[in-house]
């Protein structure tokens, strides 16, 4: 049937009107005027924290009617079996950390975060069909491991310099205590930075921010110079930007100095080939019937070409950017690591059409008409999950009638 559906008009709901999706993979539905929940919510008890000084809230609200649209736990039987060696290694790693499902507190032993820091419903949002009263939402199922570390033990080189202290508290959560970044290169390595940047350039980037890195303008020049000196390997350099003629040092502000813990970074739980440690699906598209409180259908979203070449069924991929649903019966979504725009049958979830994009469409598409002719357009910025960057908007339409 290709794209031969009339689009007519885009159907998309602002989820704050009535339904709320969460990173944990739950859907909460409320009356938009009174706030009364339309499906029962239960307060369930979860484990306490064993971190010194931390007191976790004893319960969390959990919907009891609409099933979660993402898996809620990662157990031994869920370990991926793409290869025997990887399966054995990942199983051993899983057994060495905590993995008890949702809302297990962080720990110094390491705690599995699942469906992940970017799991469940993501920032792309959901699409709403008022005729069917169905909500369409894509989901990630990517395990991460969060490992806490005491702030007074965080230095990797035994130094207690201002630069290392600030780096461990502010920078290591992305770039890692070892400064190697992450495996997918979302956060770049800082090892060897002395061959690429000087102290002034590092300070400027901390001041202005760049890409995913926010500005650290709240730091003093002394503190930014201290971090630069630490990254450039000059641990003995006096961590001060004050003129030598100034004899009285100003008090040093240590951000988060009262926080007893930091962590070792945002670390995806991946196998040696870079695939998620959990068995597929790793990305899904879901249709949720809000009239009857059920999941109408769920399909994998995205595929890895190299796995498909090895005979593995589509696994789904990590995905960023939401769907749109049309009155003509289609759900359009980009979002996936395979850099395609796809169209699904809104009633069945059948994949009807897909097209390769010049870069990842990590954005929510828009649907519109010009002189009665339908179009769907998506921003192709790419640049996430180690994929190439782009700067194009790509629009698709139906061929002119003969």
């Amino acid at each position: 049937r290709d794209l031969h559906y009339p689009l007519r008009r885009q159907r998309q709901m602002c989820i704050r009107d009535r339904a709320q999706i969460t990173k944990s993979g739950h859907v909460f539905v409320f009356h938009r005027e009174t706030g009364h929940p339309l499906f029962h919510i239960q307060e369930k008890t979860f484990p306490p924290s064993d971190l010194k000084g931390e007191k976790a809230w004893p319960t969390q609200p959990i919907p009891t009617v609409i099933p979660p649209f993402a898996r809620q736990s990662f157990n031994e039987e869920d370990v991926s079996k793409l290869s025997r060696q990887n399966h054995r290694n990942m199983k051993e790693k899983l057994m060495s950390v905590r993995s008890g499902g949702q809302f297990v507190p962080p720990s110094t032993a390491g705690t599995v975060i699942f469906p992940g820091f970017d799991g469940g419903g993501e920032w792309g949002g959901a699409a709403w069909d008022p005729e069917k009263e169905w909500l369409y939402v894509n989901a990630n199922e990517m395990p991460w491991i969060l490992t806490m570390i005491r702030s007074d033990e965080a230095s990797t080189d035994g130094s207690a310099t201002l630069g290392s202290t600030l780096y461990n508290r502010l920078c290591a959560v992305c770039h890692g205590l070892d400064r190697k970044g992450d495996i997918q290169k979302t956060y770049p390595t800082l090892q060897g930075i002395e061959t690429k940047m000087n102290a002034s350039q590092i300070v400027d980037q901390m001041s202005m921010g760049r890409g995913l890195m926010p500005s650290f303008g709240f730091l003093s020049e002394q503190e930014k110079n201290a971090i630069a000196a630490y990254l450039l390997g000059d641990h003995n350099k006096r961590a001060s930007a004050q003129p030598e003629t100034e004899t009285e040092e100003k008090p040093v502000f240590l951000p988060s100095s009262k926080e007893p813990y930091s962590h070792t970074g945002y670390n995806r739980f991946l196998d040696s080939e870079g695939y998620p440690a959990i068995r597929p699906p790793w990305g899904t598209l879901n249709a949720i019937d809000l009239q009857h409180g059920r999941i109408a259908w769920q399909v994998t979203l995205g595929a890895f070409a190299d796995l498909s070449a090895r005979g593995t069924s589509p696994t789904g991929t990590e995905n960023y950017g939401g769907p749109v649903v049309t009155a003509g019966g289609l759900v359009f979504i980009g979002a996936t690591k395979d850099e395609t725009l796809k169209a699904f049958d809104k009633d069945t979830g059948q994949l009807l059409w897909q097209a390769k994009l010049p870069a990842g469409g990590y954005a929510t598409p828009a649907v519109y008409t010009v002189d009665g002719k339908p179009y769907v357009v998506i921003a192709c910025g790419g640049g996430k999950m180690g994929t190439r960057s782009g700067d194009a908007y790509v629009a698709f339409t139906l061929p002119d009638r003969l």
Side-chain angles (χ1 to χ4, degrees), residues 24-83:
S24 61
H26 291 293
V27 178
F28 294 82
V29 187
F30 303 93
H31 190 287
R32 68 174 66 190
E33 295 179 352
T34 67
H36 181 75
L38 302 185
F39 296 104
H40 180 64
I41 299 172
Q42 179 183 356
E43 288 285 338
K44 291 189 176 181
T45 302
F46 288 92
S49 174
D50 62 2
L51 295 180
K52 183 179 180 181
E54 179 174 76
K55 185 175 292 186
W57 194 257
T59 64
Q60 293 291 334
I62 304 295
T64 60
V65 178
I66 303 176
F69 56 86
R71 286 173 288 181
Q72 297 295 290
S73 63
F74 180 18
N75 300 313
E76 185 177 339
E77 62 270 18
D78 300 315
V79 175
S80 175
K81 297 181 179 179
L82 291 179
S83 75

Short mmCIF file of all heavy atoms in Angstrom, two decimals, residues 24-83:
data_model
loop_
_atom_site.label_atom_id
_atom_site.label_comp_id
_atom_site.label_asym_id
_atom_site.label_seq_id
_atom_site.Cartn_x
_atom_site.Cartn_y
_atom_site.Cartn_z
N SER A 24 10.02 5.39 32.99
CA SER A 24 9.93 4.03 33.50
C SER A 24 9.03 3.14 32.64
O SER A 24 8.91 1.95 32.88
CB SER A 24 9.41 4.03 34.94
OG SER A 24 8.11 4.59 34.99
N GLY A 25 8.40 3.74 31.61
CA GLY A 25 7.56 2.94 30.71
C GLY A 25 6.12 2.83 31.15
O GLY A 25 5.39 1.94 30.70
N HIS A 26 5.66 3.74 32.01
CA HIS A 26 4.27 3.72 32.48
C HIS A 26 3.47 4.84 31.85
O HIS A 26 4.02 5.87 31.42
CB HIS A 26 4.22 3.89 34.00
CG HIS A 26 4.76 2.72 34.77
ND1 HIS A 26 4.16 1.49 34.77
CD2 HIS A 26 5.86 2.59 35.55
CE1 HIS A 26 4.85 0.66 35.53
NE2 HIS A 26 5.89 1.30 36.01
N VAL A 27 2.15 4.64 31.80
CA VAL A 27 1.23 5.68 31.34
C VAL A 27 0.28 6.01 32.49
O VAL A 27 -0.39 5.13 33.03
CB VAL A 27 0.41 5.22 30.12
CG1 VAL A 27 -0.58 6.31 29.70
CG2 VAL A 27 1.33 4.87 28.96
N PHE A 28 0.26 7.28 32.86
CA PHE A 28 -0.69 7.78 33.86
C PHE A 28 -1.75 8.59 33.12
O PHE A 28 -1.41 9.45 32.29
CB PHE A 28 0.01 8.68 34.87
CG PHE A 28 1.01 7.97 35.75
CD1 PHE A 28 2.30 7.72 35.32
CD2 PHE A 28 0.66 7.55 37.03
CE1 PHE A 28 3.22 7.07 36.12
CE2 PHE A 28 1.57 6.91 37.85
CZ PHE A 28 2.86 6.67 37.39
N VAL A 29 -3.01 8.33 33.39
CA VAL A 29 -4.10 9.03 32.71
C VAL A 29 -4.96 9.74 33.76
O VAL A 29 -5.44 9.11 34.70
CB VAL A 29 -4.97 8.06 31.89
CG1 VAL A 29 -6.00 8.83 31.06
CG2 VAL A 29 -4.10 7.20 30.97
N PHE A 30 -5.14 11.06 33.55
CA PHE A 30 -5.88 11.87 34.51
C PHE A 30 -6.99 12.65 33.80
O PHE A 30 -6.89 12.97 32.60
CB PHE A 30 -4.95 12.89 35.19
CG PHE A 30 -3.77 12.27 35.88
CD1 PHE A 30 -2.55 12.12 35.24
CD2 PHE A 30 -3.86 11.84 37.20
CE1 PHE A 30 -1.46 11.55 35.86
CE2 PHE A 30 -2.78 11.28 37.84
CZ PHE A 30 -1.58 11.13 37.18
N HIS A 31 -8.04 12.96 34.55
CA HIS A 31 -9.07 13.86 34.06
C HIS A 31 -8.44 15.25 33.93
O HIS A 31 -7.85 15.77 34.88
CB HIS A 31 -10.25 13.90 35.02
CG HIS A 31 -11.45 14.61 34.47
ND1 HIS A 31 -11.50 15.97 34.32
CD2 HIS A 31 -12.64 14.14 34.01
CE1 HIS A 31 -12.67 16.33 33.82
NE2 HIS A 31 -13.38 15.23 33.62
N ARG A 32 -8.56 15.85 32.77
CA ARG A 32 -7.81 17.08 32.52
C ARG A 32 -8.30 18.26 33.34
O ARG A 32 -7.57 19.23 33.55
CB ARG A 32 -7.86 17.45 31.03
CG ARG A 32 -9.23 17.86 30.53
CD ARG A 32 -9.15 18.34 29.08
NE ARG A 32 -8.76 17.25 28.21
CZ ARG A 32 -8.43 17.43 26.93
NH1 ARG A 32 -8.42 18.64 26.42
NH2 ARG A 32 -8.14 16.40 26.17
N GLU A 33 -9.54 18.23 33.84
CA GLU A 33 -10.07 19.34 34.62
C GLU A 33 -9.93 19.14 36.12
O GLU A 33 -9.69 20.09 36.86
CB GLU A 33 -11.54 19.57 34.26
CG GLU A 33 -11.74 20.03 32.81
CD GLU A 33 -13.21 20.23 32.48
OE1 GLU A 33 -14.07 19.88 33.33
OE2 GLU A 33 -13.50 20.73 31.38
N THR A 34 -10.05 17.91 36.58
CA THR A 34 -10.02 17.66 38.02
C THR A 34 -8.72 17.04 38.50
O THR A 34 -8.43 17.07 39.70
CB THR A 34 -11.17 16.71 38.42
OG1 THR A 34 -10.93 15.41 37.85
CG2 THR A 34 -12.51 17.26 37.93
N GLY A 35 -7.93 16.44 37.58
CA GLY A 35 -6.71 15.75 37.98
C GLY A 35 -6.95 14.37 38.54
O GLY A 35 -6.02 13.69 38.97
N HIS A 36 -8.20 13.93 38.53
CA HIS A 36 -8.53 12.60 39.08
C HIS A 36 -8.00 11.51 38.15
O HIS A 36 -8.22 11.55 36.94
CB HIS A 36 -10.04 12.44 39.24
CG HIS A 36 -10.45 11.12 39.80
ND1 HIS A 36 -10.31 10.82 41.14
CD2 HIS A 36 -10.99 10.02 39.21
CE1 HIS A 36 -10.75 9.59 41.35
NE2 HIS A 36 -11.16 9.08 40.20
N PRO A 37 -7.28 10.50 38.66
CA PRO A 37 -6.77 9.43 37.80
C PRO A 37 -7.91 8.60 37.22
O PRO A 37 -8.85 8.21 37.95
CB PRO A 37 -5.89 8.60 38.74
CG PRO A 37 -6.35 8.92 40.12
CD PRO A 37 -6.85 10.33 40.08
N LEU A 38 -7.85 8.33 35.93
CA LEU A 38 -8.89 7.54 35.27
C LEU A 38 -8.63 6.05 35.41
O LEU A 38 -9.55 5.25 35.19
CB LEU A 38 -8.98 7.93 33.80
CG LEU A 38 -9.28 9.41 33.53
CD1 LEU A 38 -9.47 9.64 32.03
CD2 LEU A 38 -10.51 9.87 34.29
N PHE A 39 -7.42 5.67 35.72
CA PHE A 39 -7.09 4.26 36.00
C PHE A 39 -6.39 4.23 37.36
O PHE A 39 -5.61 5.11 37.69
CB PHE A 39 -6.19 3.68 34.91
CG PHE A 39 -6.83 3.61 33.55
CD1 PHE A 39 -6.49 4.53 32.57
CD2 PHE A 39 -7.78 2.64 33.26
CE1 PHE A 39 -7.06 4.48 31.32
CE2 PHE A 39 -8.37 2.59 32.01
CZ PHE A 39 -8.02 3.51 31.04
N HIS A 40 -6.64 3.19 38.10
CA HIS A 40 -6.17 3.10 39.49
C HIS A 40 -4.64 3.16 39.56
O HIS A 40 -3.93 2.58 38.74
CB HIS A 40 -6.65 1.80 40.13
CG HIS A 40 -6.20 1.64 41.55
ND1 HIS A 40 -6.59 2.47 42.57
CD2 HIS A 40 -5.36 0.73 42.12
CE1 HIS A 40 -6.03 2.09 43.70
NE2 HIS A 40 -5.28 1.03 43.45
N ILE A 41 -4.13 3.89 40.54
CA ILE A 41 -2.70 4.00 40.82
C ILE A 41 -2.44 3.49 42.24
O ILE A 41 -3.13 3.88 43.18
CB ILE A 41 -2.22 5.46 40.70
CG1 ILE A 41 -2.45 5.98 39.28
CG2 ILE A 41 -0.75 5.58 41.08
CD1 ILE A 41 -2.18 7.45 39.12
N GLN A 42 -1.47 2.62 42.36
CA GLN A 42 -1.15 2.01 43.65
C GLN A 42 0.21 2.48 44.13
O GLN A 42 1.16 2.57 43.36
CB GLN A 42 -1.16 0.49 43.54
CG GLN A 42 -0.81 -0.23 44.84
CD GLN A 42 -0.76 -1.75 44.66
OE1 GLN A 42 -1.04 -2.26 43.58
NE2 GLN A 42 -0.38 -2.45 45.71
N GLU A 43 0.32 2.79 45.42
CA GLU A 43 1.61 3.10 46.03
C GLU A 43 2.29 1.79 46.42
O GLU A 43 1.81 1.07 47.29
CB GLU A 43 1.43 3.99 47.26
CG GLU A 43 1.04 5.43 46.94
CD GLU A 43 2.21 6.25 46.40
OE1 GLU A 43 3.38 5.86 46.65
OE2 GLU A 43 1.96 7.27 45.75
N LYS A 44 3.40 1.48 45.76
CA LYS A 44 4.12 0.24 46.03
C LYS A 44 5.42 0.52 46.77
O LYS A 44 6.06 1.54 46.54
CB LYS A 44 4.41 -0.51 44.72
CG LYS A 44 3.16 -1.07 44.06
CD LYS A 44 3.53 -1.98 42.89
CE LYS A 44 2.30 -2.63 42.29
NZ LYS A 44 2.64 -3.54 41.17
N THR A 45 5.80 -0.40 47.64
CA THR A 45 7.01 -0.26 48.44
C THR A 45 8.23 -0.69 47.64
O THR A 45 8.20 -1.71 46.93
CB THR A 45 6.91 -1.10 49.72
OG1 THR A 45 5.77 -0.68 50.46
CG2 THR A 45 8.16 -0.94 50.57
N PHE A 46 9.33 0.09 47.76
CA PHE A 46 10.58 -0.22 47.08
C PHE A 46 11.72 -0.17 48.08
O PHE A 46 11.59 0.41 49.17
CB PHE A 46 10.81 0.73 45.92
CG PHE A 46 9.89 0.47 44.76
CD1 PHE A 46 8.67 1.12 44.66
CD2 PHE A 46 10.22 -0.45 43.79
CE1 PHE A 46 7.81 0.87 43.61
CE2 PHE A 46 9.37 -0.72 42.72
CZ PHE A 46 8.16 -0.06 42.64
N PRO A 47 12.88 -0.78 47.74
CA PRO A 47 13.99 -0.90 48.71
C PRO A 47 14.51 0.45 49.17
O PRO A 47 14.51 1.42 48.41
CB PRO A 47 15.06 -1.68 47.93
CG PRO A 47 14.33 -2.35 46.81
CD PRO A 47 13.20 -1.45 46.47
N PRO A 48 15.02 0.51 50.40
CA PRO A 48 15.66 1.73 50.89
C PRO A 48 17.07 1.87 50.34
O PRO A 48 17.64 0.93 49.79
CB PRO A 48 15.69 1.51 52.41
CG PRO A 48 15.78 0.02 52.55
CD PRO A 48 14.98 -0.56 51.42
N SER A 49 17.62 3.06 50.48
CA SER A 49 19.01 3.30 50.06
C SER A 49 19.96 2.94 51.19
O SER A 49 19.65 3.10 52.37
CB SER A 49 19.19 4.77 49.70
OG SER A 49 20.56 5.05 49.43
N ASP A 50 21.15 2.42 50.82
CA ASP A 50 22.17 2.15 51.84
C ASP A 50 23.33 3.13 51.74
O ASP A 50 24.38 2.94 52.36
CB ASP A 50 22.67 0.71 51.74
CG ASP A 50 23.34 0.40 50.41
OD1 ASP A 50 23.44 1.32 49.57
OD2 ASP A 50 23.75 -0.75 50.21
N LEU A 51 23.16 4.21 50.95
CA LEU A 51 24.18 5.25 50.90
C LEU A 51 24.08 6.11 52.16
O LEU A 51 22.98 6.50 52.58
CB LEU A 51 24.00 6.13 49.66
CG LEU A 51 24.21 5.45 48.31
CD1 LEU A 51 24.00 6.46 47.19
CD2 LEU A 51 25.60 4.82 48.22
N LYS A 52 25.20 6.39 52.74
CA LYS A 52 25.24 7.17 53.97
C LYS A 52 24.61 8.54 53.75
O LYS A 52 24.96 9.28 52.84
CB LYS A 52 26.68 7.33 54.45
CG LYS A 52 26.81 8.07 55.78
CD LYS A 52 28.26 8.17 56.21
CE LYS A 52 28.39 8.91 57.53
NZ LYS A 52 29.81 9.03 57.95
N GLY A 53 23.64 8.87 54.58
CA GLY A 53 22.99 10.17 54.53
C GLY A 53 21.84 10.26 53.55
O GLY A 53 21.17 11.29 53.50
N GLU A 54 21.59 9.21 52.78
CA GLU A 54 20.49 9.27 51.81
C GLU A 54 19.29 8.47 52.33
O GLU A 54 19.43 7.33 52.77
CB GLU A 54 20.92 8.71 50.46
CG GLU A 54 19.79 8.72 49.43
CD GLU A 54 20.24 8.31 48.04
OE1 GLU A 54 20.44 7.11 47.82
OE2 GLU A 54 20.39 9.20 47.20
N LYS A 55 18.12 9.06 52.24
CA LYS A 55 16.89 8.40 52.65
C LYS A 55 15.93 8.42 51.47
O LYS A 55 15.39 9.46 51.10
CB LYS A 55 16.28 9.10 53.86
CG LYS A 55 15.05 8.38 54.42
CD LYS A 55 14.54 9.04 55.69
CE LYS A 55 15.53 8.86 56.84
NZ LYS A 55 14.98 9.37 58.12
N ALA A 56 15.74 7.27 50.83
CA ALA A 56 14.85 7.17 49.68
C ALA A 56 13.40 7.09 50.14
O ALA A 56 13.09 6.51 51.19
CB ALA A 56 15.20 5.93 48.86
N TRP A 57 12.51 7.69 49.35
CA TRP A 57 11.09 7.61 49.69
C TRP A 57 10.65 6.16 49.62
O TRP A 57 11.03 5.43 48.70
CB TRP A 57 10.27 8.46 48.72
CG TRP A 57 8.87 8.69 49.22
CD1 TRP A 57 7.73 8.07 48.79
CD2 TRP A 57 8.47 9.56 50.27
NE1 TRP A 57 6.66 8.51 49.49
CE2 TRP A 57 7.08 9.44 50.42
CE3 TRP A 57 9.17 10.44 51.10
CZ2 TRP A 57 6.37 10.16 51.37
CZ3 TRP A 57 8.46 11.16 52.05
CH2 TRP A 57 7.06 11.02 52.16
N PRO A 58 9.87 5.68 50.60
CA PRO A 58 9.59 4.23 50.69
C PRO A 58 8.67 3.69 49.61
O PRO A 58 8.66 2.48 49.37
CB PRO A 58 8.95 4.09 52.07
CG PRO A 58 8.40 5.45 52.38
CD PRO A 58 9.33 6.42 51.76
N THR A 59 7.86 4.54 48.96
CA THR A 59 6.90 4.04 47.96
C THR A 59 7.00 4.86 46.67
O THR A 59 7.54 5.96 46.65
CB THR A 59 5.46 4.12 48.49
OG1 THR A 59 5.12 5.50 48.70
CG2 THR A 59 5.30 3.33 49.78
N GLN A 60 6.45 4.27 45.60
CA GLN A 60 6.34 4.95 44.32
C GLN A 60 4.95 4.66 43.74
O GLN A 60 4.41 3.56 43.91
CB GLN A 60 7.41 4.47 43.34
CG GLN A 60 8.82 4.84 43.73
CD GLN A 60 9.09 6.33 43.61
OE1 GLN A 60 8.45 7.04 42.84
NE2 GLN A 60 10.06 6.82 44.39
N PRO A 61 4.34 5.64 43.03
CA PRO A 61 3.03 5.40 42.42
C PRO A 61 3.16 4.58 41.14
O PRO A 61 3.95 4.91 40.25
CB PRO A 61 2.53 6.82 42.12
CG PRO A 61 3.77 7.62 41.94
CD PRO A 61 4.81 7.03 42.86
N ILE A 62 2.41 3.50 41.03
CA ILE A 62 2.48 2.60 39.89
C ILE A 62 1.07 2.38 39.34
O ILE A 62 0.16 1.96 40.08
CB ILE A 62 3.08 1.24 40.28
CG1 ILE A 62 4.47 1.42 40.92
CG2 ILE A 62 3.15 0.32 39.06
CD1 ILE A 62 5.51 1.99 39.99
N PRO A 63 0.83 2.63 38.05
CA PRO A 63 -0.48 2.32 37.46
C PRO A 63 -0.73 0.82 37.49
O PRO A 63 0.20 0.03 37.32
CB PRO A 63 -0.35 2.83 36.01
CG PRO A 63 0.81 3.77 36.02
CD PRO A 63 1.74 3.26 37.07
N THR A 64 -1.97 0.43 37.70
CA THR A 64 -2.27 -1.00 37.85
C THR A 64 -3.13 -1.56 36.72
O THR A 64 -3.36 -2.77 36.68
CB THR A 64 -3.00 -1.25 39.18
OG1 THR A 64 -4.22 -0.50 39.20
CG2 THR A 64 -2.14 -0.83 40.37
N VAL A 65 -3.60 -0.72 35.80
CA VAL A 65 -4.48 -1.20 34.73
C VAL A 65 -3.73 -1.26 33.41
O VAL A 65 -3.60 -2.33 32.81
CB VAL A 65 -5.74 -0.31 34.61
CG1 VAL A 65 -6.61 -0.81 33.44
CG2 VAL A 65 -6.54 -0.34 35.91
N ILE A 66 -3.23 -0.13 32.93
CA ILE A 66 -2.48 -0.13 31.67
C ILE A 66 -1.11 -0.75 31.90
O ILE A 66 -0.34 -0.29 32.74
CB ILE A 66 -2.30 1.31 31.14
CG1 ILE A 66 -3.65 1.99 30.95
CG2 ILE A 66 -1.53 1.30 29.83
CD1 ILE A 66 -3.56 3.43 30.51
N PRO A 67 -0.77 -1.81 31.17
CA PRO A 67 0.54 -2.44 31.36
C PRO A 67 1.66 -1.49 30.96
O PRO A 67 1.48 -0.61 30.11
CB PRO A 67 0.49 -3.66 30.41
CG PRO A 67 -0.95 -3.85 30.07
CD PRO A 67 -1.58 -2.49 30.14
N PRO A 68 2.84 -1.63 31.54
CA PRO A 68 3.98 -0.81 31.10
C PRO A 68 4.34 -1.13 29.65
O PRO A 68 4.21 -2.28 29.21
CB PRO A 68 5.10 -1.20 32.06
CG PRO A 68 4.71 -2.53 32.61
CD PRO A 68 3.21 -2.56 32.62
N PHE A 69 4.76 -0.12 28.89
CA PHE A 69 5.11 -0.34 27.49
C PHE A 69 6.60 -0.60 27.31
O PHE A 69 7.08 -0.69 26.18
CB PHE A 69 4.66 0.85 26.62
CG PHE A 69 5.19 2.19 27.04
CD1 PHE A 69 6.43 2.64 26.59
CD2 PHE A 69 4.46 3.02 27.87
CE1 PHE A 69 6.92 3.86 26.97
CE2 PHE A 69 4.94 4.25 28.26
CZ PHE A 69 6.17 4.68 27.80
N ALA A 70 7.34 -0.73 28.41
CA ALA A 70 8.74 -1.14 28.38
C ALA A 70 8.97 -2.12 29.52
O ALA A 70 8.32 -2.04 30.57
CB ALA A 70 9.67 0.06 28.52
N ARG A 71 9.88 -3.07 29.32
CA ARG A 71 10.17 -4.05 30.37
C ARG A 71 10.63 -3.35 31.64
O ARG A 71 11.29 -2.31 31.59
CB ARG A 71 11.24 -5.03 29.88
CG ARG A 71 10.73 -6.03 28.87
CD ARG A 71 11.86 -6.87 28.29
NE ARG A 71 12.69 -6.10 27.37
CZ ARG A 71 13.73 -6.60 26.71
NH1 ARG A 71 14.08 -7.88 26.87
NH2 ARG A 71 14.43 -5.84 25.87
N GLN A 72 10.33 -3.94 32.77
CA GLN A 72 10.56 -3.29 34.04
C GLN A 72 11.74 -3.86 34.83
O GLN A 72 12.10 -3.31 35.87
CB GLN A 72 9.29 -3.40 34.90
CG GLN A 72 8.10 -2.68 34.30
CD GLN A 72 8.32 -1.18 34.22
OE1 GLN A 72 8.34 -0.50 35.23
NE2 GLN A 72 8.50 -0.67 33.00
N SER A 73 12.34 -4.94 34.37
CA SER A 73 13.46 -5.52 35.11
C SER A 73 14.42 -6.19 34.14
O SER A 73 14.06 -6.54 33.01
CB SER A 73 12.98 -6.53 36.16
OG SER A 73 12.32 -7.62 35.53
N PHE A 74 15.65 -6.37 34.59
CA PHE A 74 16.69 -7.01 33.81
C PHE A 74 17.29 -8.09 34.69
O PHE A 74 18.06 -7.82 35.61
CB PHE A 74 17.73 -5.98 33.40
CG PHE A 74 18.88 -6.53 32.58
CD1 PHE A 74 18.80 -7.75 31.93
CD2 PHE A 74 20.05 -5.80 32.44
CE1 PHE A 74 19.84 -8.25 31.19
CE2 PHE A 74 21.12 -6.28 31.70
CZ PHE A 74 21.01 -7.51 31.07
N ASN A 75 16.93 -9.33 34.41
CA ASN A 75 17.36 -10.46 35.22
C ASN A 75 18.27 -11.39 34.41
O ASN A 75 18.49 -11.18 33.21
CB ASN A 75 16.15 -11.24 35.75
CG ASN A 75 15.26 -10.36 36.61
OD1 ASN A 75 15.73 -9.65 37.49
ND2 ASN A 75 13.95 -10.39 36.35
N GLU A 76 18.75 -12.43 35.07
CA GLU A 76 19.71 -13.34 34.46
C GLU A 76 19.19 -13.94 33.15
O GLU A 76 19.93 -14.07 32.17
CB GLU A 76 20.04 -14.46 35.46
CG GLU A 76 21.11 -15.42 35.01
CD GLU A 76 21.43 -16.45 36.07
OE1 GLU A 76 21.13 -16.20 37.26
OE2 GLU A 76 21.98 -17.50 35.71
N GLU A 77 17.90 -14.28 33.12
CA GLU A 77 17.34 -14.90 31.92
C GLU A 77 17.17 -13.91 30.76
O GLU A 77 16.89 -14.31 29.63
CB GLU A 77 15.99 -15.56 32.23
CG GLU A 77 14.91 -14.61 32.71
CD GLU A 77 14.91 -14.45 34.23
OE1 GLU A 77 15.93 -14.78 34.86
OE2 GLU A 77 13.88 -13.98 34.75
N ASP A 78 17.36 -12.63 31.04
CA ASP A 78 17.19 -11.61 30.01
C ASP A 78 18.48 -11.25 29.31
O ASP A 78 18.47 -10.43 28.37
CB ASP A 78 16.61 -10.32 30.63
CG ASP A 78 15.26 -10.55 31.28
OD1 ASP A 78 14.42 -11.22 30.66
OD2 ASP A 78 15.05 -10.06 32.41
N VAL A 79 19.61 -11.81 29.71
CA VAL A 79 20.91 -11.46 29.12
C VAL A 79 20.93 -11.86 27.64
O VAL A 79 20.48 -12.94 27.26
CB VAL A 79 22.06 -12.14 29.87
CG1 VAL A 79 23.39 -11.86 29.19
CG2 VAL A 79 22.10 -11.65 31.31
N SER A 80 21.45 -10.98 26.80
CA SER A 80 21.50 -11.22 25.36
C SER A 80 22.32 -12.47 25.03
O SER A 80 23.32 -12.76 25.69
CB SER A 80 22.10 -10.00 24.66
OG SER A 80 22.27 -10.25 23.28
N LYS A 81 21.92 -13.17 23.96
CA LYS A 81 22.61 -14.38 23.54
C LYS A 81 23.13 -14.26 22.11
O LYS A 81 23.17 -15.24 21.36
CB LYS A 81 21.67 -15.58 23.65
CG LYS A 81 21.22 -15.88 25.08
CD LYS A 81 20.32 -17.09 25.15
CE LYS A 81 19.89 -17.38 26.59
NZ LYS A 81 18.99 -18.56 26.67
N LEU A 82 23.55 -13.04 21.73
CA LEU A 82 24.07 -12.87 20.38
C LEU A 82 25.34 -13.69 20.16
O LEU A 82 25.62 -14.13 19.05
CB LEU A 82 24.37 -11.38 20.11
CG LEU A 82 23.15 -10.47 19.99
CD1 LEU A 82 23.59 -9.03 19.74
CD2 LEU A 82 22.22 -10.93 18.88
N SER A 83 26.13 -13.89 21.23
CA SER A 83 27.29 -14.77 21.15
C SER A 83 27.49 -15.41 22.52
O SER A 83 27.13 -14.84 23.54
CB SER A 83 28.56 -14.01 20.74
OG SER A 83 29.06 -13.23 21.82
#
